[in-house]
Amino acid sequence: MPSLDPKNKTRDESAPNESVRNESVRNESASGSGTATHWRSLSDLVAQAEAAADGTGDGGGDAAVDAYLEQRIPDHDELFGDPLSRRRFMQIMGASVALSGAAGLTGCRWEEDHIIPESQRPEDYVPGVPKKYATSMSLGGAGYGLLVTAYDGRPIKVDGNPDHPNTGRGSTSFVQASLLELYDPDRSRVVERRRGRKPLPANWSDFDDAAVAWTQQHSATKGQGLRVLSEATTSPTILALRDELLRLYPQARWHEYEPLSRDNERAGTRIAFGRALRVQLQLAEARIIAAFDADLFGDHPDCLRLARDFATGRDPDENPTGMNRLYAVESGYSVTGGSADHRLPLRSELIKPFLMALEAKLQGGSPPPASKALADAKLQKFLSALAGDLIQNRGRSVIAVGPTQPPEVHALVARLNGLLGNSDTVVYTAEPDPDRPHHNDDIVQLASDMRKGAVDTLLILGGNPAYDAPADLDFAGALDQVDNSIHLSVYSDETSQACNWHVPRAHYLEAWGDTRTHDGTVTIAQPIVEPIFGGRSAIDVLKQFVGRGEEPAEHLVRAQILGAMGVTDPRPSEGEGAQEAHSRADTAWRRALHDGFAPRTAFATEKPQVQPFTLAPLTPTQGEARLKNGSLEVVFTVNTSTYDGRFANNAWLQEVPDFLTKMTWDNAALISPRTAADLGVKHEQMLEITLDGRALKVVAYVMPGQAPFSIALAVGQGRRRAGRVGGLVEEGIVPVGFDAYRLRSSKAPMVASGGNVRGLRDKYRLSLTVDHYNMDKIGQDGIAQRIPDLVREATLEDYKKPGYDINEEAHSEDIAILSNPTKADRANRSLFKEPRYDGYKWGMTTDLSKCTGCNACIIACQAENNIPVVGKEQVWRNREMHWLRIDRYFQGDPDDPRIAHQPVLCQQCENAPCEQVCPVGATLHSEEGLNDMAYNRCVGTRYCLNNCPYRVRRFNFLRWDWYKEMDEPRAQVRKLLFNPDVTVRSRGVMEKCTFCVQRIQNAKIQAKNNRVPIEDGVITTACQDACPTGAIVFGDLNDRRSRVAALHARPRAYAMLAELNARPRNVFLARIRNPHPELG
Amino acid sequence: MARFEFPEWTESFKKWVLLLAAGAPVYLLALWAYGLRPEAIRIGYQPKQPVPYSHALHVGELGLDCRYCHTTVERAAHAAVPPAQFCMNCHATIRTDSAALQPVRDSFASGAPIKWNRVHDLPDYVFFNHSAHVTRGVGCEECHGRIDLMEQVYQHAPLTMEWCLNCHRDPAPHLRPRELVTVMGYDPPGDRRELGRRLADNNKIAPPTNCSTCHR
């Protein structure tokens, strides 16, 4: 059995000095020497450059490429973790069939199945028919309005609630994956009690008794020594319980902490306006959007609405007055940077001098730059273009800044927006809890109080401060000074281990609650299922402390919702008039519960005036263009897989490849190519990063587009007690990734200065999904040259020219016609008798202008179609199972590249190459144009995968981990997760995107039963539902009024690899960029 | 070495032995092959049920319509086996002392379900939808046989893919007017096939034969 610890693997270093190579490569691609313009990763670029330099036509004799191929096509002898090979399996099965045949004929039937109906069926319940319920989820205080699909009383899919006024129909990858957490066998099931670190047996009644004792103790002391540490919450019910708690115990204190805090914004608005306000960006009204270290579409509580609004301004066909233009200035590459028309990599601390220079330009002056770092010519050009655009579009622009920037930068941005008159595009709403201290200050205060011995009882509601609190506070050590520490959490994690009590928390799908979305709309969370493991919610625990232990949480939430709607709710016993009022309240409540939110409860918007303030002087490093090792910038970023670490045990999120780095099951220190060359550090090399006396060993990832001298470190991995997926050191399960929290101090929790990098000798193998399916050198060349054809783009100027056709650039007229889906139909140049599609003709469009790369569609597909998780090792072997992938290509200078990306799923070709080669007829074409897959017929030849030019088929090489787990009794809960409408595939079977055929069939059957036609928009695929921007549209092409038919006819619609005459039903809408004329 | 010679008395049945030696493998093979055909294995499958519910009594003699108990058959994929609640609609007052009904009464009182043994079982990768068939005029007895004559339900049809496709390719002989789907012993006057053809034309019944119809 090979060692599972990836850190032990070493790799032969056969590639010659890479820094020299990178230099020549950079020169070549910058000058556009006629080789390919797109590249997928730095090693891709290296291989291409070598190919060009070599001049030989084949791969033979080129050592670097050989080594590269050797890495990509590993030997197959070791079947990871599965001792049973296919041949042996057939032998055993053959024997058992013979035995069963001889034994007796009635014994030949498969095992008995049972039908277990309810004893009493609830009204309106039809077994096997899904029901949808509105609920909501909270992540870092941000609320999301959700619609959950439940089958037979168990939730199997989470989507956005299309009726919600703020978040709407889309969802984020975290929302989609939150379902897996509900059925996680590693969830805590029992109350734990600890003396020292040893757990003692305990149950809920022990906890209830203890709670009574604590409340009595603290009533006597008026709450002296009672503290509550909560994660960020906007829940009206919890905040009301908090207020009640503080009234009952005046000396108690409520602390709030969030490791990825957004509080710098409130601190900033306090500087700018004198009070804490929340920024509400109205991107739909904006022509120019400038994002400074702000990942608006990826890491923002309002990201769904922002992405949607941005996309409406992005469609060149539906915006006759003009498209918007997005500038991004950031230290790390984000999805916002990927969607930007212009991007400037700039380390985070330089954003303040940049904005100061921008302010000077906007005010008409042109003083010398305050920082030498701004003296760069390219930067100055960017700055003047941006300033020019902003001046020209006064009142219709947005300047946004991210949470890692210090408060005074937020204030500066508020001042700039005021200067530009952006009172319609940047509005403010009052913060609902303005007096709350900054998260960072709060945790520092609490830790200090704990060490002083001032805390007797500490109730920690959610969160994981022992893991994610700033490392200099040593929160776990401080917990030893607390007499009674109670941790309410979904998993028994690092903090639970350090506390006296751990009580299992109910998942948000199991409990009553509420939240507020970013705009303030009060959104209701209702339970879809009873707590599977008997957990309790934060509301349940809190109400015990205020003497409301007997009142159900539902009543408390109901009271808050009715209050928010302004509806009084008298008890029905209070006389005649009260009866009526109560039933009116009841109706209002049921309506709100059905819709999922309380209408018209958004915060009132304001347009305040900026008051004068001065900025602090620049620090010494802010004046430098170049930084030396030892004074490097380290930026702690959100982890797109685990957020802040809470999803470390979520296999779906761990396995989804990060959009920019394509990394799975890991995190890394992202370093720009130039800085890596300066430091002598290579890709996949282990480093030791030292910051302020603390050290961390982490792998290096050389990331094109990362700002020089700035290292991006995603937090949220390296967890010691996450579970069997994320890391469980006490059971020998190696933690995934590296714990960046160990470097964080409370003095610089977001952006730190003074980092030192030391390269180590070890190598670390990363499982990246980029560069998969990459074959020989000729193939590589061909692919690279073909990429501009696959991912097509145009500028707005070109697009607006009359008679523009994206397919014009194709090399022959035939290809031009085949590329254009409507023209191809009319031309009908085939020699064969083509089938006619007179009934439904399913098709899809994917709009590359609108796709931001958020990854929500990938996880939605995984949830809907029972797609297994394969694990880090198998991803490295190119065996990831996602039916939908997002290809990401870089263009241009490795230190400052542009990104082109493309979500690719099964193109459902009318002339499918895969159908033609299946020897057993497992994949056939339906009358509606779908490429059907009959899993039971597949024998595993994999010829279809080989023949697919789009490489969209996935083969189940092994029985994946979750199957083996199913044999364990404690893992049986995982079975509840499966979508019953989709076959669960086993080993040896091919699968691929089916356009959610189960949804199509169900809709067709329902429609035909009721004898009504299917309207456009009734059938939506899972990816379409998840996409917040509406980039994916599915429908019936034969329905002339359908949106998809209209989109197929757009001038920027093209089919990928059309010259192969596969006639795909999925058509891409080319990305239209809107560059500034000076920047090009 | 001496050559082995069979004794004299074996002479009389030598040819029978040879016949047996030649024929037995063929016979056993045929038995195995024919025995493992779906028509042999599946038709007639009659598992024992926890409650000896007799369709012959309730449907045949008393005249209950299929849909009285299997209420979801026109709306959903599953023709759901009824909960104990439906039984108690009558049996709260009828046969209240019957020992055979004790599991039903217990289930209704305690909320614990009755564990029926499934008779008509399709593989997990097949997704059959009752409503699509019942609302088009495919009678219950076409697939389930004369339930009204079964004391204990047995499987009447092989329910193999071949058997399903035979009807999908040629539905006319199996169609009837929609309101008569639950009639047992349906025997219309005239040519059944012609009647079915007209029904198919009028109601636009064109059963699909692509894979995704049943395999998702």
Side-chain angles (χ1 to χ4, degrees):
Chain A
M1 192 72 149
S3 158
L4 296 179
D5 186 356
K7 295 186 181 63
N8 284 343
K9 282 235 176 211
T10 53
R11 204 179 70 185
D12 285 336
E13 197 52 51
S14 54
N17 190 348
E18 273 200 30
S19 57
V20 170
R21 199 167 300 276
N22 280 344
E23 205 53 53
S24 63
V25 158
R26 197 176 300 122
N27 289 339
E28 258 191 44
S29 53
S31 65
S33 61
T35 46
T37 55
H38 288 68
W39 37 284
R40 281 182 288 187
S41 67
L42 285 179
S43 39
D44 207 23
L45 201 52
V46 166
Q48 285 175 16
E50 278 166 357
D54 244 5
T56 56
D58 58 15
D62 190 341
V65 177
D66 278 346
Y68 177 79
L69 288 175
E70 163 67 20
Q71 189 191 350
R72 293 298 177 268
I73 310 170
D75 81 75
H76 296 280
D77 288 347
E78 311 156 320
L79 284 174
F80 167 69
D82 189 353
L84 200 63
S85 76
R86 197 177 169 78
R87 177 165 292 146
R88 182 100 188 95
F89 176 77
M90 290 304 293
Q91 283 174 343
I92 293 173
M93 279 316 294
S96 62
V97 163
L99 272 176
S100 61
L105 298 181
T106 51
C108 298
R109 209 170 188 277
W110 54 93
E111 66 182 40
E112 232 173 32
D113 200 10
H114 299 286
I115 303 177
I116 309 180
E118 313 84 351
S119 157
Q120 295 184 45
R121 187 181 295 163
E123 212 182 311
D124 286 346
Y125 168 54
V126 179
V129 169
K131 276 179 172 268
K132 291 188 196 270
Y133 296 96
T135 184
S136 78
M137 167 177 150
S138 173
L139 184 67
Y144 296 90
L146 307 176
L147 199 60
V148 175
T149 307
Y151 257 99
D152 295 340
R154 60 183 195 280
I156 56 131
K157 185 81 172 45
V158 176
D159 281 309
N161 182 356
D163 294 333
H164 195 282
N166 176 264
T167 50
R169 76 169 308 133
S171 41
T172 65
S173 55
F174 298 120
V175 165
Q176 288 292 333
S178 61
L179 184 66
L180 190 63
E181 200 178 42
L182 174 65
Y183 298 114
D184 193 345
D186 291 331
R187 268 180 69 188
S188 128
R189 304 168 193 224
V190 292
V191 173
E192 289 172 0
R193 200 174 160 187
R194 281 186 164 77
R195 189 143 303 143
R197 295 283 158 113
K198 229 168 62 78
L200 304 164
N203 54 32
W204 277 113
S205 52
D206 294 332
F207 177 74
D208 292 338
D209 295 339
V212 165
W214 295 323
T215 47
Q216 282 170 351
Q217 174 195 349
H218 285 293
S219 303
T221 65
K222 289 221 174 299
Q224 184 71 32
L226 172 63
R227 305 290 179 102
V228 178
L229 175 63
S230 162
E231 41 183 14
T233 177
T234 49
S235 159
T237 309
I238 292 189
L239 295 176
L241 283 171
R242 174 194 69 175
D243 294 339
E244 226 179 296
L245 185 82
L246 293 175
R247 259 201 315 275
L248 279 176
Y249 307 104
Q251 301 289 326
R253 271 191 68 177
W254 179 284
H255 301 269
E256 196 178 283
Y257 175 65
E258 205 41 57
L260 294 171
S261 174
R262 304 193 72 89
D263 278 354
N264 282 348
E265 182 182 279
R266 343 173 348 138
T269 50
R270 206 173 265 130
I271 298 175
F273 301 106
R275 56 205 165 95
L277 292 173
R278 184 180 287 190
V279 180
Q280 307 278 359
L281 302 171
Q282 310 295 325
L283 296 187
E285 325 281 337
R287 282 277 145 264
I288 306 291
I289 305 165
F292 289 89
D293 247 2
D295 190 3
L296 300 173
F297 313 133
D299 176 33
H300 194 285
D302 214 7
C303 61
L304 295 174
R305 187 183 63 91
L306 293 177
R308 200 169 59 232
D309 287 348
F310 172 72
T312 50
R314 206 71 197 160
D315 195 329
D317 307 302
E318 290 172 11
N319 278 302
T321 52
M323 256 170 74
N324 57 26
R325 182 174 294 152
L326 175 62
Y327 291 86
V329 177
E330 53 186 14
S331 60
Y333 226 131
S334 69
V335 297
T336 307
S339 290
D341 293 301
H342 298 293
R343 179 181 179 269
L344 181 72
L346 191 66
R347 64 179 197 268
S348 293
E349 62 179 358
L350 291 181
I351 286 183
K352 176 175 159 190
F354 186 96
L355 285 170
M356 287 163 67
L358 180 65
E359 187 175 34
K361 275 215 180 321
L362 292 178
Q363 283 168 332
S366 200
S371 166
K372 276 196 300 217
L374 301 181
D376 183 57
K378 207 159 104 175
L379 190 150
Q380 285 296 326
K381 209 164 146 200
F382 188 98
L383 178 59
S384 41
L386 175 60
D389 254 346
L390 288 171
I391 292 171
Q392 211 177 358
N393 290 283
R394 272 181 196 282
R396 289 178 311 156
S397 61
V398 163
I399 303 184
V401 62
T404 54
Q405 289 293 315
E408 59 170 5
V409 175
H410 285 260
L412 178 55
V413 164
R415 192 160 74 190
L416 286 173
N417 278 319
L419 203 64
L420 291 166
N422 292 334
S423 52
D424 284 328
T425 51
V426 181
V427 297
Y428 299 88
T429 56
E431 265 287 340
D433 202 7
D435 301 321
R436 168 174 71 71
H438 192 297
H439 287 141
N440 200 48
D441 298 336
D442 226 352
I443 193 83
V444 168
Q445 178 69 50
L446 176 61
S448 141
D449 289 347
M450 281 159 74
R451 284 197 194 285
K452 286 206 288 266
V455 178
D456 298 318
T457 309
L458 176 62
L459 175 61
I460 308 178
L461 299 171
N464 193 357
Y467 165 71
D468 54 38
D472 57 332
L473 298 179
D474 186 21
F475 198 85
L479 275 171
D480 289 336
Q481 311 288 329
V482 176
D483 294 337
N484 297 305
S485 43
I486 306 115
H487 189 212
L488 173 75
S489 56
V490 178
Y491 297 90
S492 175
D493 54 23
E494 294 87 341
T495 307
S496 304
Q497 192 181 39
C499 285
N500 299 116
W501 286 87
H502 160 77
V503 285
R505 187 180 192 179
H507 193 263
Y508 77 88
L509 290 170
E510 297 171 333
W512 283 99
D514 49 11
T515 177
R516 295 187 97 128
T517 51
H518 192 72
D519 68 338
T521 304
V522 176
T523 314
I524 306 172
Q526 63 169 318
I528 315 295
V529 69
E530 289 270 351
I532 299 175
F533 300 118
R536 287 189 194 175
S537 68
I539 293 177
D540 288 329
V541 171
L542 263 179
K543 66 183 168 69
Q544 277 180 286
F545 280 79
V546 298
R548 288 188 186 242
E550 299 308 310
E551 270 183 68
E554 181 186 348
H555 291 187
L556 297 177
V557 171
R558 183 192 143 115
Q560 286 299 317
I561 301 298
L562 289 177
M565 293 196 291
V567 176
T568 48
D569 185 16
R571 290 186 201 287
S573 52
E574 288 171 14
E576 284 295 314
Q579 276 272 21
E580 247 181 55
H582 184 74
S583 79
R584 240 200 330 270
D586 213 32
T587 313
W589 164 242
R590 291 175 81 82
R591 162 111 295 209
L593 198 56
H594 167 271
D595 294 342
F597 58 93
R600 294 178 296 280
T601 46
F603 300 130
T605 57
E606 312 179 16
K607 300 183 184 189
Q609 294 294 325
V610 181
Q611 62 189 35
F613 62 90
T614 44
L615 295 169
L618 295 180
T619 65
T621 48
Q622 278 177 320
E624 297 295 324
R626 302 180 60 88
L627 294 178
K628 287 200 294 282
N629 197 355
S631 58
L632 295 171
E633 176 179 272
V634 175
V635 181
F636 296 98
T637 65
V638 67
N639 190 319
T640 54
S641 279
T642 67
Y643 187 66
D644 56 4
R646 67 185 68 190
F647 294 120
N649 211 43
N650 191 317
W652 287 349
L653 282 171
Q654 289 281 19
E655 192 156 288
V656 73
D658 173 64
F659 172 60
L660 275 315
T661 61
K662 294 293 173 236
M663 205 163 32
T664 63
W665 294 98
D666 256 315
N667 61 338
L670 306 182
I671 309 182
S672 85
R674 203 178 277 272
T675 306
D678 284 348
L679 296 171
V681 152
K682 294 199 231 338
H683 186 66
E684 288 187 345
Q685 180 182 355
M686 284 298 288
L687 306 174
E688 190 184 51
I689 300 183
T690 340
L691 187 63
D692 206 18
R694 281 176 297 280
L696 173 72
K697 287 200 170 64
V698 65
V699 65
Y701 185 112
V702 180
M703 178 67 190
Q706 176 73 21
F709 312 110
S710 178
I711 299 174
L713 257 182
V715 297
Q717 294 278 26
R719 284 194 54 188
R720 304 177 60 81
R721 210 154 184 262
R724 281 167 180 72
V725 171
L728 196 54
V729 169
E730 66 204 37
E731 292 196 18
I733 295 169
V734 177
V736 172
F738 308 94
D739 185 6
Y741 280 120
R742 264 195 259 151
L743 281 185
R744 241 164 66 125
S745 94
S746 53
K747 293 185 243 353
M750 306 279 188
V751 177
S753 225
N756 185 71
V757 167
R758 184 170 72 91
L760 303 173
R761 265 211 324 242
D762 308 323
K763 298 251 167 284
Y764 183 90
R765 194 176 73 189
L766 289 170
S767 289
L768 309 178
T769 59
V770 73
D771 293 341
H772 283 180
Y773 309 114
N774 204 5
M775 299 308 288
D776 62 353
K777 200 149 71 72
I778 296 178
Q780 278 181 45
D781 285 346
I783 289 171
Q785 278 162 19
R786 211 185 289 152
I787 291 175
D789 205 45
L790 300 178
V791 190
R792 297 192 196 173
E793 310 178 332
T795 59
L796 185 62
E797 220 181 286
D798 289 337
Y799 187 67
K800 283 275 186 272
K801 293 190 182 128
Y804 173 82
D805 187 353
I806 190 90
N807 300 298
E808 254 174 27
E809 286 114 55
H811 8 286
S812 87
E813 198 201 323
D814 276 325
I815 292 175
I817 290 174
L818 287 172
S819 257
N820 183 317
T822 39
K823 278 193 191 161
D825 272 349
R826 285 199 292 269
N828 200 10
R829 291 183 171 209
S830 175
L831 285 176
F832 301 100
K833 182 160 170 284
E834 298 286 340
R836 290 175 54 84
Y837 296 99
D838 290 329
Y840 294 113
K841 190 175 171 188
W842 306 116
M844 184 187 270
T845 52
T846 310
D847 193 340
L848 299 178
S849 269
K850 294 189 180 174
C851 172
T852 56
C854 67
N855 279 349
C857 53
I858 299 182
I859 301 189
C861 177
Q862 190 158 28
E864 171 77 17
N865 293 298
N866 305 332
I867 297 176
V869 161
V870 308
K872 181 173 173 178
E873 170 86 21
Q874 296 298 311
V875 172
W876 185 79
R877 289 177 188 268
N878 308 9
R879 291 176 181 173
E880 76 273 9
M881 292 303 296
H882 298 121
W883 288 1
L884 173 55
R885 69 172 188 269
I886 302 186
D887 286 335
R888 179 268 295 129
Y889 305 99
F890 293 109
Q891 287 169 279
D893 177 15
D895 283 302
D896 186 11
R898 259 189 353 190
I899 278 187
H901 63 281
Q902 185 175 37
V904 180
L905 33 66
C906 174
Q907 305 288 298
Q908 310 284 349
C909 311
E910 285 179 8
N911 214 2
C914 57
E915 287 170 10
Q916 290 158 22
V917 296
C918 178
V920 295
T923 180
L924 299 168
H925 218 66
S926 83
E927 290 149 4
E928 295 162 356
L930 288 183
N931 178 292
D932 288 338
M933 189 64 213
Y935 304 113
N936 37 309
R937 265 199 195 166
C938 179
V939 290
T941 327
R942 305 197 290 283
Y943 197 164
C944 55
L945 164 62
N946 199 25
N947 220 29
C948 174
Y950 308 103
R951 316 302 280 169
V952 288
R953 281 175 163 271
R954 305 281 177 263
F955 187 68
N956 283 277
F957 278 94
L958 302 171
R959 276 188 80 196
W960 301 116
D961 281 346
W962 67 358
Y963 273 102
K964 281 192 288 224
E965 246 184 63
M966 293 297 188
D967 297 334
E968 283 180 62
R970 59 178 277 290
Q972 297 291 304
V973 68
R974 276 282 185 84
K975 288 184 183 169
L976 299 175
L977 176 61
F978 290 131
N979 181 352
D981 274 342
V982 178
T983 309
V984 176
R985 287 83 55 192
S986 183
R987 170 182 37 211
V989 161
M990 188 66 75
E991 62 188 50
K992 65 169 182 75
C993 163
T994 56
F995 271 7
C996 283
V997 69
Q998 66 278 6
R999 293 183 178 205
I1000 297 175
Q1001 294 292 6
N1002 285 338
K1004 271 168 55 186
I1005 292 172
Q1006 283 303 317
K1008 202 140 185 229
N1009 285 355
N1010 301 324
R1011 294 168 200 243
V1012 291
I1014 301 183
E1015 288 184 13
D1016 185 38
V1018 165
I1019 306 181
T1020 53
T1021 56
C1023 47
Q1024 181 181 9
D1025 277 342
C1027 182
T1029 56
I1032 299 180
V1033 177
F1034 170 84
D1036 180 13
L1037 291 169
N1038 273 345
D1039 178 356
R1040 266 171 289 120
R1041 287 166 307 171
S1042 71
R1043 186 153 164 77
V1044 71
L1047 291 177
H1048 269 237
R1050 289 273 161 83
R1052 63 186 176 110
Y1054 71 94
M1056 196 162 60
L1057 291 178
E1059 63 269 23
L1060 301 177
N1061 198 27
R1063 311 254 282 198
R1065 281 287 176 84
N1066 182 2
V1067 143
F1068 291 95
L1069 297 177
R1071 177 171 176 173
I1072 304 297
R1073 293 183 194 263
N1074 186 11
H1076 192 279
E1078 278 169 39
L1079 293 176
Chain B
M1 185 171 49
R3 212 183 125 176
F4 180 78
E5 279 178 12
F6 279 95
E8 270 301 323
W9 55 270
T10 59
E11 212 50 42
S12 51
F13 52 87
K14 187 163 81 168
K15 45 178 175 306
W16 297 112
V17 169
L18 284 173
L19 194 64
L20 192 68
V26 174
Y27 173 73
L28 286 172
L29 193 71
L31 189 67
W32 182 78
Y34 278 97
L36 287 183
R37 274 167 60 243
E39 286 75 9
I41 297 180
R42 302 192 192 199
I43 299 182
Y45 177 61
Q46 191 175 36
K48 193 159 180 335
Q49 301 292 347
V51 175
Y53 176 74
S54 166
H55 280 87
L57 168 64
H58 293 78
V59 179
E61 280 185 45
L62 299 176
L64 277 183
D65 187 81
C66 310
R67 289 166 291 192
Y68 181 82
C69 295
H70 298 281
T71 53
T72 59
V73 74
E74 284 169 323
R75 293 184 275 154
H78 301 286
V81 165
Q85 186 181 31
F86 290 11
C87 309
M88 295 307 283
N89 282 344
C90 292
H91 285 288
T93 48
I94 299 171
R95 301 267 181 152
T96 49
D97 296 329
S98 164
L101 283 170
Q102 193 54 42
V104 178
R105 287 191 289 273
D106 289 342
S107 165
F108 185 70
S110 68
I114 300 173
K115 210 166 161 187
W116 300 97
N117 293 312
R118 188 186 285 273
V119 180
H120 303 90
D121 194 9
L122 293 177
D124 286 345
Y125 45 79
V126 175
F127 295 89
F128 176 77
N129 190 307
H130 272 93
S131 64
H133 293 78
V134 170
T135 54
R136 306 281 186 281
V138 179
C140 305
E141 65 172 329
E142 298 296 331
C143 310
H144 295 292
R146 293 297 300 273
I147 296 275
D148 61 327
L149 302 175
M150 297 179 190
E151 277 296 330
Q152 194 178 41
V153 175
Y154 59 85
Q155 187 168 334
H156 158 88
L159 302 182
T160 51
M161 181 167 153
E162 182 192 0
W163 179 83
C164 294
L165 274 178
N166 283 338
C167 181
H168 269 242
R169 286 175 175 150
D170 180 25
H174 304 283
L175 290 174
R176 63 177 77 175
R178 202 192 142 145
E179 51 280 4
L180 303 177
V181 288
T182 56
V183 166
M184 293 283 147
Y186 176 72
D187 187 19
D191 183 12
R192 182 112 192 240
R193 178 176 281 280
E194 182 52 36
L195 180 64
R197 199 193 54 77
R198 263 190 285 130
L199 281 168
D201 282 341
N202 291 345
N203 296 322
K204 298 203 239 306
I205 295 173
T209 49
N210 6 314
C211 306
S212 55
T213 309
C214 309
H215 297 291
R216 286 120 195 221

